[in-house]
């Protein structure tokens, strides 16, 4: 990875880190990349990546950029979720919950919401839980201290967390006091605190304590009238079925505030994306074939349209790639394959679906849907998210 960054291959280095991170995250022990890799990943310049893509777009053959889309990316298609998020930020809602399965564009949406908040005059602090290292996730103490440090650095606060942290108080009490006294009370404008990938801590034994604290900020708007909590907004993104993980609904932030649901692209949005690529999909028959293969999957659609725009293959070539061991879909499918194969219960459910049976457990369905493998509204309606997944899993697991 260091060699790729030193030689200027930022796209490949970014993809290498993200695939390795996802592989470790899919393991039962939920490992994380070494801190050295994470720091290097954070230092990869994003704007040069965009400039390179724009210069060579007409002949681009490399993988398109994975992960979040920059604010300048011309291929970002706005969806109803954009308006929902902007409206919630403008109203200064207490908690905003951006939920969607993997690779639906949650981080890209969040970035645009935060830019909107900045333009509107709000102070913004952003914490990506995927960027935290193992030491930050050991306990609620280490996590909340990491969040406090982010607030101190990004908001330019006068008092550092270490100066106000009281060893006699709990981590929750310390962090709440820091946010109330140093962020909310001393700010002369609205404050938007964004947490990306909060599902990173769903499997931690302290998750209920942390989420209970977030929920308390919603209630505090009414209870603590001497503090201007009505100008503090917490925005969270996640892919998991969070509400099922917190037993006490009165301590959950996932049933209050404003939900913003991000789905796969609709037919109209796919048509808009195709238009922005110069309409490489030329007619309705080709469009139907593309949708049969990748559905409204944002990343896979971008991948296919980039290849078609560059003239590397037509719709027939795209379809042929689905059944090849080495293809434009290989790396993506390997990640999805590892995710399913690493969990015996996931694998059994996928094999049952291949055989024409229904998903047995609601929890398994919810987790597979959140992971981006399945779609549907219930276990009885469960189906693969796209034709590409069905073909791959049938070939590998039938």
């Amino acid at each position: 990875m260091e060699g790729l960054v030193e030689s200027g291959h930022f796209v490949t280095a970014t993809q290498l880190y993200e695939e390795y991170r996802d592989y470790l995250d899919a393991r039962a022990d939920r490992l994380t990349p070494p801190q050295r890799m994470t720091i290097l990943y954070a230092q990869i310049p994003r704007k040069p990546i965009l400039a390179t893509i724009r210069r060579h777009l007409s002949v681009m053959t490399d993988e398109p950029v994975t992960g979040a889309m920059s604010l300048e990316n011309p291929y970002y298609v706005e969806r109803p979720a954009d308006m929902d998020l902007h409206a919630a930020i403008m109203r200064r809602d207490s908690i905003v919950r951006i939920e969607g399965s993997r690779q639906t564009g949650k981080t890209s949406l969040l970035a645009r919401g935060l830019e909107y908040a900045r333009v509107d005059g709000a102070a913004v602090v952003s914490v990506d839980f995927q960027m935290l290292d193992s030491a930050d996730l050991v306990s609620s103490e280490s996590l909340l201290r990491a969040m406090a440090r982010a607030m101190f650095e990004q908001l330019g606060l006068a008092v550092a967390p270490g100066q106000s942290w009281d060893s006699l108080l709990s981590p929750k009490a310390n962090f709440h006091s820091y946010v109330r006294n140093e962020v909310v009370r001393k700010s002369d404008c609205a404050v938007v605190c964004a947490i990306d990938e909060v599902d990173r801590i769903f499997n931690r034994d302290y998750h209920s304590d942390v989420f209970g604290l977030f929920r308390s900020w919603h209630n505090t708007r009414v209870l603590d009238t001497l503090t201007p909590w009505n100008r503090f907004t917490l925005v969270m993104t996640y892919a998991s079925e969070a509400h099922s993980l917190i037993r006490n609904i009165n301590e959950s932030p996932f049933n209050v505030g404003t939900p913003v649901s991000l789905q796969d692209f609709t037919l109209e949005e796919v048509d808009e994306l195709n238009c922005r690529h110069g309409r490489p999909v030329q007619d309705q028959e080709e469009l139907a074939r593309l949708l049969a293969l990748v559905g409204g999957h944002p990343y896979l659609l971008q991948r296919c349209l980039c290849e078609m725009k560059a003239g590397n293959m037509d719709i027939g070539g795209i379809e042929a790639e689905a059944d090849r061991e080495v293809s434009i879909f290989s790396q993506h499918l390997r990640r999805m394959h590892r995710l399913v194969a690493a969990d015996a219960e996931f694998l059994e459910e996928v094999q049952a679906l291949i055989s024409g049976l229904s998903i047995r457990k609601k929890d398994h369905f919810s987790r597979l849907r959140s992971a981006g493998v399945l779609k549907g509204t219930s276990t009885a309606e469960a189906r693969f998210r796209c034709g590409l997944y069905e073909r791959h899993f049938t070939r590998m697991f039938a």
Side-chain angles (χ1 to χ4, degrees):
M1 185 174 172
E2 288 176 337
L4 290 169
V5 172
E6 289 174 1
S7 60
H9 291 85
F10 300 128
V11 173
T12 307
T14 299
Q15 185 176 27
L16 175 65
Y17 175 85
E18 291 176 349
E19 289 190 347
Y20 184 51
R21 178 197 65 197
D22 291 344
Y23 163 71
L24 293 176
D25 190 58
R27 290 166 52 105
D29 48 4
R30 300 293 291 272
L31 297 176
T32 58
Q35 185 178 14
R36 185 176 174 185
M37 283 187 71
T38 301
I39 293 174
L40 184 60
Y41 172 73
Q43 294 173 343
I44 294 176
R46 269 29 182 195
K47 288 188 176 179
I49 293 177
L50 179 62
T52 300
I53 289 175
R54 283 179 169 170
R55 283 198 304 272
H56 302 292
L57 190 58
S58 61
V59 292
M60 185 173 68
T61 56
D62 293 336
E63 279 276 339
V65 178
T66 58
M69 286 180 143
S70 68
L71 298 176
E72 301 89 355
N73 195 308
Y75 301 125
Y76 182 83
V77 175
E78 287 193 351
R79 290 175 270 181
D82 288 83
M83 294 302 298
D84 293 342
L85 178 57
H86 293 172
I89 289 174
M90 186 170 63
R91 292 191 304 262
R92 300 181 182 178
D93 291 357
S94 59
I95 295 176
V96 184
R97 302 176 280 111
I98 302 176
E99 181 183 54
S101 58
R102 290 195 67 105
Q103 293 189 308
T104 50
K106 296 185 295 297
T107 303
S108 298
L109 170 64
L110 176 62
R112 283 152 180 80
L114 296 184
E115 184 64 15
Y116 180 87
R118 293 185 187 99
V119 172
D120 197 44
V124 171
V125 57
S126 177
V127 183
D128 184 353
F129 275 13
Q130 285 288 0
M131 297 296 290
L132 298 180
D133 59 31
S134 300
D136 293 325
L137 299 172
V138 168
S139 64
S140 61
E141 173 87 21
S142 59
L143 174 67
L144 296 177
R145 277 184 175 270
M147 291 187 63
R149 288 196 304 271
M151 291 180 171
F152 171 70
E153 294 169 358
Q154 295 180 37
L155 297 177
L157 304 179
V159 177
Q163 295 175 265
S164 66
W165 223 260
D166 187 339
S167 60
L168 298 178
L169 298 179
S170 69
K172 287 172 58 176
N174 270 309
F175 188 55
H176 176 78
S177 176
Y178 188 76
V179 173
R180 180 190 62 210
N181 297 328
E182 304 304 326
V183 178
V184 181
R185 284 181 175 174
K186 293 184 180 180
S187 176
D188 56 1
C189 63
V191 178
V192 177
C193 176
I195 307 176
D196 200 13
E197 305 270 7
V198 296
D199 31 0
R200 180 89 187 275
I201 67 167
F202 282 169
N203 67 330
R204 301 282 175 168
D205 56 10
Y206 59 76
H207 75 267
S208 291
D209 286 340
V210 173
F211 290 131
L213 173 61
F214 296 164
R215 165 63 180 255
S216 75
W217 292 342
H218 174 78
N219 299 334
T220 301
R221 284 195 169 201
V222 177
L223 300 175
D224 184 4
T225 56
L226 298 180
T227 303
W229 283 100
N230 61 346
R231 63 188 184 196
F232 181 84
T233 296
L234 176 66
V235 183
M236 301 182 293
T237 77
Y238 55 96
S240 298
E241 300 288 329
H243 54 78
S244 64
L245 297 172
I246 302 178
R247 294 182 179 180
N248 187 344
I249 61 173
N250 295 317
E251 295 181 352
S252 172
F254 300 103
N255 56 9
V256 295
T258 304
V260 176
S261 180
L262 201 56
Q263 307 295 328
D264 281 351
F265 286 146
T266 64
L267 180 60
E268 292 76 15
E269 290 160 353
V270 173
D271 188 60
E272 172 65 20
L273 186 62
N274 183 42
C275 181
R276 296 192 185 191
H277 281 81
R279 292 204 174 278
V281 178
Q282 300 178 4
D283 55 40
Q284 291 300 311
E285 187 267 337
E286 287 191 356
L287 181 61
R289 290 165 65 184
L290 180 63
L291 291 177
L293 182 64
V294 300
H297 195 302
Y299 166 73
L300 293 178
L301 280 167
Q302 291 277 10
R303 187 72 179 92
C304 293
L305 291 172
C306 282
E307 289 292 332
M308 296 176 74
K309 178 182 176 64
N312 295 331
M313 58 185 69
D314 58 12
I315 186 63
I318 293 290
E319 291 172 324
E321 290 284 286
D323 297 314
R324 292 172 181 161
E325 189 67 27
V326 179
S327 72
I328 62 171
F329 304 122
S330 295
Q331 293 179 334
H332 176 80
L333 289 175
R334 278 198 292 272
R335 185 182 70 79
M336 302 304 293
H337 183 100
R338 287 194 297 264
L339 187 149
V340 171
D343 190 306
E345 294 179 334
F346 276 10
L347 182 56
E348 289 180 8
E349 296 287 21
V350 166
Q351 289 174 324
L353 195 60
I354 292 170
S355 301
L357 304 175
S358 298
I359 298 294
R360 296 171 302 168
K361 296 184 178 180
K362 183 178 179 180
D363 175 60
H364 293 170
F365 167 66
S366 296
R367 291 165 60 200
L368 283 165
R369 183 177 59 184
S370 297
V373 178
L374 303 181
K375 63 181 179 179
T377 58
S378 66
T379 55
E381 297 178 0
R383 58 194 185 280
F384 288 105
R385 186 176 176 186
C386 61
L388 177 67
Y389 289 178
E390 183 172 8
R391 290 164 71 163
H392 173 79
F393 289 125
T394 299
R395 187 170 68 249
M396 302 303 295
F397 296 138

